[in-house]
Amino acid sequence: MSEQPSDPVTLSSEQKDALIRDLRRQLAALQQPKRELLDELREAPHKAALAPAGASMKLGRHLGLWRSPVTLGVVVAVMLAFAVDAGIGRYQASLAKQQRQARLQLENTAMRSLYVELKQIVAEPDGKSFRMTLSLQNTSPDGPLYVMLNPVAVYVQSGMVWQQVPSKPVDGAGAGVVTLAREYSYDIAFAPEVANWAELIPGYMHVRIQDDLLVSQRAQPGDDVVERRTPFYVYLRPPGIAAPPPLFIPMPPH
């Protein structure tokens, strides 16, 4: 015997409606994640566009600060102060350089263009003192030199020390300021009254003569004054000793 097929299930209209509603709910549940994803994609460009707006507002606030007259005034004042300070520094450096150059030039003139010479030493009639003649010569082509004559110091060696002896200008000629155009000479009297003088050469005293001068190229100098010190060394026959000439023997500085 062959089997008879079973009869199909017959649903009522209420069951059909319930089945359709259930299928719709399932379909809606499956579509919900897609809607959320689409919504996020739609909102993403809008959020990205809002970020630059906020940044531009912050940048605008900073630019507004720089546009402030007070801020600009402070910046300009600071920059001006730096510029003035740099200018003063350059001016002071240039002035100091000029002063150094002028000083070196004057020192060179005082040492090379001013020639100081011990011309002679003669015995005085009193038999106790001597008179020496000093000569100044200006060889500078730049004009006269203004020379301040200081007292000439005379020393006689006694043992291992130098003992100063009395000295003075003759007729006041070796004092004050001299306008030295070409040549100027003046006399100094001194009395070498030293008991135990050193006899490095038999019959002669060892004498040091020190001539200190202040030199300038202006009649009314300021800081442009240099000192010129010129020492002379001689062997001098003491007063009262009869001996053949010479009276003195010049020696190089030592």
Side-chain angles (χ1 to χ4, degrees):
M1 296 179 58
S2 59
E3 292 184 358
Q4 298 292 328
S6 60
D7 296 334
V9 178
T10 303
L11 299 175
S12 63
S13 59
E14 291 82 359
Q15 290 175 337
K16 291 179 180 179
D17 294 338
L19 180 59
I20 290 170
R21 286 193 298 270
D22 185 57
L23 291 173
R24 287 177 177 174
R25 283 194 301 270
Q26 293 179 11
L27 181 60
L30 291 174
Q31 292 179 346
Q32 182 66 27
K34 294 181 179 180
R35 292 193 187 97
E36 293 177 355
L37 181 59
L38 289 174
D39 291 340
E40 291 180 359
L41 291 175
R42 291 190 189 98
E43 293 178 357
H46 180 65
K47 293 180 179 180
L50 291 178
S56 64
M57 291 176 63
K58 294 180 180 179
L59 182 60
R61 287 197 295 269
H62 290 297
L63 291 175
L65 178 62
W66 285 105
R67 294 192 189 100
S68 171
V70 176
T71 304
L72 290 176
V74 172
V75 172
V76 170
V78 171
M79 294 177 65
L80 183 61
F82 277 112
V84 171
D85 183 69
I88 292 175
R90 286 193 296 269
Y91 172 75
Q92 290 177 339
S94 175
L95 183 61
K97 182 179 179 180
Q98 292 176 3
Q99 290 176 344
R100 287 195 300 271
Q101 291 176 344
R103 181 83 180 180
L104 290 174
Q105 181 179 0
L106 179 58
E107 290 176 353
N108 182 69
T109 300
M111 296 304 297
R112 295 182 180 274
S113 299
L114 177 59
Y115 182 67
V116 184
E117 181 184 9
L118 174 61
K119 301 197 74 168
Q120 67 175 5
I121 299 178
V122 296
E124 291 285 71
D126 61 7
K128 296 180 180 179
S129 60
F130 297 87
R131 177 185 298 199
M132 61 180 166
T133 301
L134 295 175
S135 173
L136 306 179
Q137 296 180 21
N138 177 17
T139 62
S140 173
D142 298 330
L145 296 175
Y146 299 90
V147 183
M148 176 71 179
L149 303 178
N150 292 316
V152 177
V154 181
Y155 302 87
V156 175
Q157 184 177 354
S158 176
M160 299 300 294
V161 299
W162 289 102
Q163 182 175 337
Q164 187 171 3
V165 298
S167 60
K168 64 179 180 178
V170 177
D171 300 328
V177 178
V178 175
T179 302
L180 185 60
R182 285 290 178 264
E183 184 176 358
Y184 177 79
S185 297
Y186 56 101
D187 293 341
I188 303 294
F190 66 98
E193 299 175 355
V194 177
N196 300 317
W197 44 271
E199 193 173 358
L200 303 183
I201 294 182
Y204 285 88
M205 296 185 297
H206 191 199
V207 179
R208 187 181 85 198
I209 302 165
Q210 184 168 298
D211 188 17
D212 292 334
L213 306 173
L214 297 178
V215 184
S216 178
Q217 291 180 309
R218 297 194 302 164
Q220 299 295 330
D223 296 332
D224 52 338
V225 177
V226 296
E227 182 178 359
R228 164 73 185 268
R229 170 169 290 183
T230 306
F232 300 97
Y233 293 86
V234 299
Y235 291 114
L236 179 66
R237 192 171 67 240
I241 295 181
L247 179 63
F248 72 100
I249 304 172
M251 296 295 294
H254 56 279

